[in-house]
């Protein structure tokens, strides 16, 4: 079946602009996660959605970052007033209710802020 | 705060030369320890979950083991297609949700 998809695959933006990154999880997966992977750093947790529960936003680095999940499926990560330090690969993962420990990752969106 | 340290950072092996990758962790109550493989330009691919000390799991040439402080990923008779970055992550019982804390990975290159 189809895996997690993310778009765009690459995004180049200018400092100060807003960007939106999209994640389509595997159909039927109730949990959705966003991570950030910077060069030489481990994956950094950003936010977690589980069903209709309030999201766990504890990993968001600043109030410029926000995310929403519509209809329990597609998610959008928004970064406002982008900074150069926001440059990274943003990864989305999803997991089924039957195996919440197993996270399936998408290919990521490489964000470059000039 | 959960922490994961992986070593070595990079490893170069000849085809058929077995070795082990290390993942040391500290966590306030282990929910699970996870191994992923990541190829360049791709997202991590799930390999194993280990839940308790003494547990072992195998898949083809890979075998993961777990103690109370570390996990090893043993690679037996590796092939060039095993070249990738191997990531270790832990999920803790505190902090809520199923978020994982990742190490920075071991970059493995297997040469002919």
């Amino acid at each position: 079946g189809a895996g997690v998809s993310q778009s765009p695959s690459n995004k180049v933006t200018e400092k100060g602009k807003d960007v939106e990154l999209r994640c389509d999880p595997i159909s039927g997966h109730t949990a959705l996660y966003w991570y950030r992977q910077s060069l030489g750093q481990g994956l950094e947790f950003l936010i977690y959605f589980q069903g209709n529960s309030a999201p766990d936003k504890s990993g968001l680095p600043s109030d410029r970052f926000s995310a929403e999940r519509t209809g329990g499926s597609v998610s959008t990560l928004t970064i406002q007033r982008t900074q150069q330090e926001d440059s990274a690969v943003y990864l989305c993962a999803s997991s089924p209710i039957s195996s919440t420990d197993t996270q399936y990752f998408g290919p990521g969106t490489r964000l470059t802020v000039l | 705060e959960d922490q994961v340290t992986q070593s070595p950072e990079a490893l170069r092996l000849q085809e058929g030369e077995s070795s082990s990758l290390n993942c040391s962790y500290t966590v306030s109550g282990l929910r699970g320890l996870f191994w992923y493989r990541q190829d360049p330009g791709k997202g991590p691919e799930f390999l194993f979950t280990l839940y308790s000390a003494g547990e072992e799991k195998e898949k083809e040439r890979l075998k993961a083991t777990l103690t109370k402080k570390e996990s090893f990923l043993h690679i037996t008779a590796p092939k060039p297609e095993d070249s990738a970055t191997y990531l270790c992550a832990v999920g803790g019982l505190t902090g809520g949700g199923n978020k994982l804390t990742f190490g920075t990975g071991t970059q493995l290159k297997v040469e002919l």
Side-chain angles (χ1 to χ4, degrees):
Chain A
V4 177
S5 61
Q6 294 186 244
S7 61
S9 55
N10 281 284
K11 176 73 176 178
V12 180
T13 191
E14 294 180 348
K15 178 181 172 181
K17 301 278 191 182
D18 298 351
V19 295
E20 284 189 352
L21 312 179
R22 177 188 168 106
C23 171
D24 282 90
I26 294 172
S27 178
H29 280 195
T30 57
L32 187 148
Y33 315 78
W34 283 97
Y35 292 86
R36 176 169 71 174
Q37 188 173 33
S38 304
L39 200 62
Q41 309 267 334
L43 273 77
E44 174 190 5
F45 166 79
L46 296 177
I47 189 168
Y48 160 65
F49 297 89
Q50 174 61 278
N52 295 321
S53 302
D56 176 356
K57 304 180 182 179
S58 60
L60 294 178
S62 77
D63 58 8
R64 296 186 296 105
F65 288 72
S66 63
E68 62 177 23
R69 188 177 184 192
T70 53
S73 181
V74 171
S75 178
T76 302
L77 177 68
T78 301
I79 308 173
Q80 296 179 310
R81 304 181 302 281
T82 52
Q83 304 294 312
Q84 289 186 331
E85 59 263 29
D86 299 333
S87 296
V89 176
Y90 289 82
L91 290 157
C92 174
S94 69
S95 58
I97 191 100
S98 59
S99 179
T100 54
D101 281 333
T102 304
Q103 298 183 20
Y104 298 89
F105 282 82
T109 293
R110 181 175 295 278
L111 174 66
T112 303
V113 182
L114 302 177
Chain B
E1 185 179 328
D2 302 343
Q3 289 191 321
V4 176
T5 303
Q6 292 188 248
S7 62
E9 289 184 9
L11 181 62
R12 182 169 285 186
L13 299 174
Q14 296 296 310
E15 184 176 14
E17 180 187 1
S18 301
S19 188
S20 297
L21 314 182
N22 177 264
C23 170
S24 297
Y25 67 91
T26 55
V27 64
S28 52
L30 181 68
R31 175 170 51 78
L33 184 137
F34 307 85
W35 282 99
Y36 285 83
R37 169 191 170 128
Q38 187 173 26
D39 292 295
K42 297 189 176 182
E45 174 190 347
F46 172 77
L47 293 174
F48 304 110
T49 308
L50 301 167
Y51 293 103
S52 58
E55 190 174 358
E56 300 183 350
K57 290 200 175 166
E58 287 189 66
K59 180 181 179 180
E60 296 179 354
R61 295 176 292 284
L62 300 177
K63 178 179 171 181
T65 62
L66 180 66
T67 73
K68 289 186 177 179
K69 294 183 178 180
E70 57 191 350
S71 176
F72 291 93
L73 185 65
H74 307 277
I75 304 177
T76 302
K79 298 182 177 182
E81 53 262 42
D82 295 322
S83 298
T85 296
Y86 290 85
L87 301 173
C88 173
V90 294
L93 290 172
T94 60
N98 286 346
K99 61 185 176 185
L100 300 179
T101 300
F102 280 82
T104 53
T106 293
Q107 191 171 1
L108 173 65
K109 184 165 177 62
V110 182
E111 300 172 328
L112 290 169

